[in-house]
Amino acid sequence: MTRWSLVVLGQILAASAGRAQVPVVEKVEPPSWWGSHSINPVRLLVRGQHLAGARFICPRVTCSAATSNAKGTYAFVDVTIPRGAKPGSYPLQLRTAGGSASVPFSVAPTLASTGRFQGFGVDDAVYLIMPDRFANGDTTNDHGVTPGMLDRAKGRYYHGGDLAGVQQKLPYLRGLGITTIWLNPIYDNANRLNEKEKYDGLPITDYHGYGAVDFYNVDEHLGTVSGFRQLVDAAHAQGIKVVLDMVANHTGPYHPWANDPPTPTWFHGTPEQHPNNTWQTWTIADPYATAALKRPTLDGWFIDILPDLNQDDPEVARYIIQNTLWWVGISGMDGIRQDTWPYVPRTFWRDWMVAIKRQYPALRVVGEVLDGDASQVSFFEGGVTQFDGVDDKVDMLFDYPMHFVIRSAFGQGKPIRDVAQMLSRDHVYKNAHRSLLTQLGSHDVLRFMNEPGATLDGLRLAFTLLFTVRGTPLVYYGDEIALPGAVDPDNRRDFPGGWRGDARNAFDASGRSPEEQSVWSHVQTLLKLRAARPDLRAAKTEHLVETEQQFAYRRGNTIVLLNNATDAVDLALPVSALGVPVVGACGAPVRTASGVSVRVPARTGCVY
């Protein structure tokens, strides 16, 4: 090549380098919306390359307020959908100095509200499912697109459970007496081994759903968005409601935003420099805590690796609100379980709840506050304006204060009086009856049967309390057959029989041991009783007996006797008469000068 040719080539390359490049669209969020929605216009977030200076041409909708970031990797645009717009494809065109690209977008069909968006509460019995560990209904999605992530022998790898498996087991849940299922998050998680988060020095997967890399898609190992909609429809046909776990606090470490956020203030910090969440949730309810003291809780990255979303950024807040409403609108689900409630500004929760209720008034939300102090939990109760001037408006909270004393009394044999005393603290709540979801277990704590001193008698006693006391009861999958499990991930074992080739099928009575069947039948009996007796769901509570190891209470025309001692006792009750026991094998009531006396066997509960 001559020197002249080299000069010309250099001029051509220089001109090309200065020329704007053709835009590339990689992702549009949300991918669809509704013309009749309470949010209209909807704000789209477009991710791609060479988007700087983006303009939008919108032939069938109205576009406005277009902006893009300096790197040209993100663009925002408001899209107003005509109220009478029919469902279908409504693509936009993105134009820059370098050219144009199509932006896929559609108007979604509006789901009929009858039998959908129902909410849940004291009339329900909730069942918590980790889809990856419950049942494998579709073996074609076991390995996803990345080999080496599925291994049932490893607690922190994918095991193959999915939404199809949950759908196939709906008749089992209905037969048990469950009316609502809560699914752990189903967002698309990292399709790789997570080198950043390790356990015993080994990389793990995000099978649990709490490390989202795409908030508008279902994890490939669990199914599809349309498959989730099918599950919700199938559950409703069985008379079962669906609650979906959501995460507004953080993303997964491999989300594309982690190293390229849409705005400079999208996260609190960067992967290289950020505050660490020290889990000091009590600082939020502390009237004397400074902003600096609260910062690790509100701004810190969970387990020091999960990018913490900044809900004070208006774009982040709007994104989360729209994402929540999109999942509800495309599925017809009935409720939301929101993760890590104290770690997000309460002003955001207030606005988030208002947006939900404006579109879906009956939908109910339960927030996770994992704290054993009732005064701490009650601070976050909705319907109460606290010292910070905020009512976060949440419908329900997890009753971890009761959870811990239930475990102590019935799992470890410590005084049952602690349970009665915890109930006596209900005065710190505005409405403990309707605002608390009470549980024996969850995916965040070891299984009941792994408490030191746990027995089947203690587990049955705990279930008797759970289904007869105030609040909304929750069963963690497998607890109905006394499934054991130590700390995470052992507490997330596969449900026996959920996989083809399992040695036994505990979804069927023939596959349960006599001990497992005794617990299962006890739970079923109590759920039938709770469903049949409105007083166990709505009547006020009256405590009749509180001793070291005995507790008796009345709810309407129902009286519950609990003996947590290792010996039988004669329990004196200040009532004139008792009917026939419908649960338990207590002795016949004997009249006394002050009421009746009942012989209650050791570690037994009876319901009259």
Side-chain angles (χ1 to χ4, degrees):
M1 182 177 292
T2 66
R3 180 175 179 180
W4 180 85
S5 299
L6 290 172
V7 170
V8 172
L9 178 60
Q11 291 173 340
I12 293 173
L13 292 174
S16 297
R19 187 184 307 135
Q21 294 180 277
V22 176
V24 177
V25 171
E26 299 171 351
K27 180 77 173 174
V28 181
E29 304 175 86
S32 60
W33 205 253
W34 304 266
S36 59
H37 204 279
S38 57
I39 292 180
N40 192 12
V42 61
R43 191 145 177 82
L44 302 192
L45 172 61
V46 181
R47 186 176 81 233
Q49 301 295 324
H50 320 305
L51 306 182
R55 297 178 295 113
F56 290 85
I57 308 301
C58 309
R60 302 175 63 191
V61 295
T62 302
C63 292
S64 60
T67 61
S68 56
N69 68 346
K71 292 175 62 177
T73 50
Y74 293 96
F76 293 93
V77 62
D78 287 350
V79 174
T80 302
I81 304 169
R83 292 192 66 83
K86 295 181 179 180
S89 178
Y90 288 68
L92 320 177
Q93 189 179 61
L94 183 151
R95 292 183 180 177
T96 68
S100 64
S102 180
V103 179
F105 181 73
S106 63
V107 173
T110 301
L111 299 181
S113 60
T114 303
R116 296 187 175 99
F117 321 121
Q118 303 168 86
F120 67 105
V122 294
D123 290 329
D124 292 297
V126 184
Y127 189 89
L128 164 56
I129 297 172
M130 180 164 281
D132 182 65
R133 304 302 163 90
F134 191 59
N136 187 352
D138 180 3
T139 58
T140 65
N141 62 26
D142 286 359
H143 295 279
V145 297
T146 307
M149 299 180 69
L150 180 108
D151 191 338
R152 289 185 68 194
K154 296 178 180 178
R156 292 183 179 269
Y157 279 53
Y158 283 94
H159 287 191
D162 48 35
L163 299 180
V166 175
Q167 184 171 335
Q168 291 172 11
K169 301 306 178 185
L170 290 173
Y172 164 82
L173 298 170
R174 183 181 181 187
L176 182 61
I178 296 300
T179 65
T180 301
I181 56 173
W182 154 26
L183 305 176
N184 285 134
I186 61 174
Y187 304 123
D188 192 14
N189 276 230
N191 295 317
R192 68 178 86 181
L193 295 178
N194 190 337
E195 296 288 348
K196 295 182 180 180
E197 182 182 359
K198 295 189 177 184
Y199 184 75
D200 287 343
L202 299 175
I204 65 173
T205 69
D206 287 328
Y207 69 90
H208 43 67
Y210 292 96
V213 298
D214 185 347
F215 284 104
Y216 279 96
N217 211 349
V218 171
D219 190 279
E220 60 175 15
H221 300 86
L222 301 182
T224 62
V225 172
S226 61
F228 176 56
R229 162 75 186 281
Q230 292 170 13
L231 168 59
V232 173
D233 286 346
H236 288 165
Q238 296 265 354
I240 296 174
K241 302 171 183 177
V242 178
V243 174
L244 184 61
D245 207 327
M246 292 189 173
V247 186
N249 178 62
H250 58 262
T251 73
Y254 293 120
H255 196 293
W257 296 337
N259 293 303
D260 183 23
T263 71
T265 55
W266 198 263
F267 292 119
H268 292 114
T270 66
E272 296 75 28
Q273 187 174 5
H274 57 259
N276 179 27
N277 192 314
T278 51
W279 301 355
Q280 296 176 327
T281 56
W282 62 85
T283 61
I284 308 303
D286 180 357
Y288 309 115
T290 63
L293 196 61
K294 296 178 181 182
R295 184 170 179 257
T297 300
L298 292 175
D299 299 355
W301 288 32
F302 203 74
I303 59 174
D304 206 25
I305 65 164
L306 298 179
D308 192 78
L309 290 163
N310 175 17
Q311 295 81 13
D312 291 326
D313 181 326
E315 296 290 1
V316 174
R318 189 164 182 175
Y319 178 95
I320 296 171
I321 289 171
Q322 290 182 170
N323 180 255
T324 297
L325 295 174
W326 183 84
W327 279 106
V328 177
I330 57 94
S331 67
M333 68 192 202
D334 307 289
I336 297 167
R337 182 268 187 183
Q338 183 57 250
D339 190 53
T340 53
W341 193 264
Y343 302 144
V344 173
R346 284 163 44 77
T347 50
F348 171 77
W349 287 138
R350 176 195 60 204
D351 297 344
W352 182 73
M353 288 296 304
V354 167
I356 291 172
K357 296 295 187 177
R358 183 184 300 121
Q359 184 67 30
Y360 304 106
L363 199 88
R364 299 201 82 205
V365 175
V366 55
E368 181 209 22
V369 181
L370 210 170
D371 197 301
D373 186 336
S375 67
Q376 293 290 321
V377 174
S378 67
F379 175 80
F380 298 95
E381 185 182 16
V384 181
T385 300
Q386 298 291 358
F387 65 81
D388 59 0
V390 178
D391 169 10
D392 64 16
K393 299 185 181 297
V394 70
D395 297 300
M396 303 170 70
L397 297 166
F398 285 93
D399 192 3
Y400 273 101
M402 273 290 289
H403 161 85
F404 289 119
V405 294
I406 287 173
R407 286 297 195 91
S408 171
F410 302 119
Q412 302 175 25
K414 294 181 180 178
I416 197 174
R417 178 180 277 143
D418 295 342
V419 174
Q421 289 180 347
M422 184 59 72
L423 286 168
S424 75
R425 298 187 179 101
D426 278 0
H427 63 84
V428 301
Y429 301 101
K430 179 181 179 181
N431 189 342
H433 178 67
R434 294 195 172 275
S435 66
L436 294 176
L437 187 69
T438 302
Q439 76 281 358
L440 306 186
S442 77
H443 60 293
D444 289 321
V445 295
L446 54 80
R447 293 272 184 177
F448 183 97
M449 291 306 295
N450 275 69
E451 289 286 353
T455 65
L456 293 178
D457 288 338
L459 179 57
R460 283 188 290 265
L461 261 179
F463 273 127
T464 301
L465 175 88
L466 180 72
F467 295 123
T468 58
V469 80
R470 57 91 179 114
T472 301
L474 167 71
V475 179
Y476 181 39
Y477 84 93
D479 279 358
E480 75 273 23
I481 58 168
L483 193 69
V487 296
D488 174 15
D490 191 46
N491 59 343
R492 303 168 180 183
R493 296 186 187 186
D494 299 343
F495 194 104
W499 283 251
R500 300 171 192 174
D502 278 1
R504 65 191 183 96
N505 179 16
F507 286 106
D508 189 85
S510 62
R512 301 177 201 129
S513 69
E515 293 78 14
E516 290 173 337
Q517 183 60 34
S518 72
V519 178
W520 194 94
S521 296
H522 186 67
V523 171
Q524 184 191 50
T525 298
L526 286 164
L527 284 173
K528 286 182 177 179
L529 181 67
R530 181 181 175 87
R533 296 190 66 81
D535 47 358
L536 288 178
R537 293 176 273 119
K540 71 174 184 178
T541 301
E542 297 176 274
H543 291 184
L544 304 177
V545 175
E546 296 178 9
T547 67
E548 186 79 357
Q549 291 293 14
Q550 288 79 43
F551 182 30
Y553 51 94
R554 182 208 307 268
R555 300 198 66 194
N557 292 322
T558 304
I559 290 181
V560 182
L561 315 179
L562 303 173
N563 177 22
N564 197 41
T566 54
D567 296 309
V569 296
D570 292 313
L571 203 58
L573 302 171
V575 296
S576 59
L578 287 179
V580 177
V582 290
V583 173
C586 291
V590 177
R591 285 187 176 276
T592 67
S594 58
V596 298
S597 178
V598 179
R599 186 74 170 173
V600 185
R603 303 304 303 279
T604 295
C606 293
V607 182
Y608 286 83

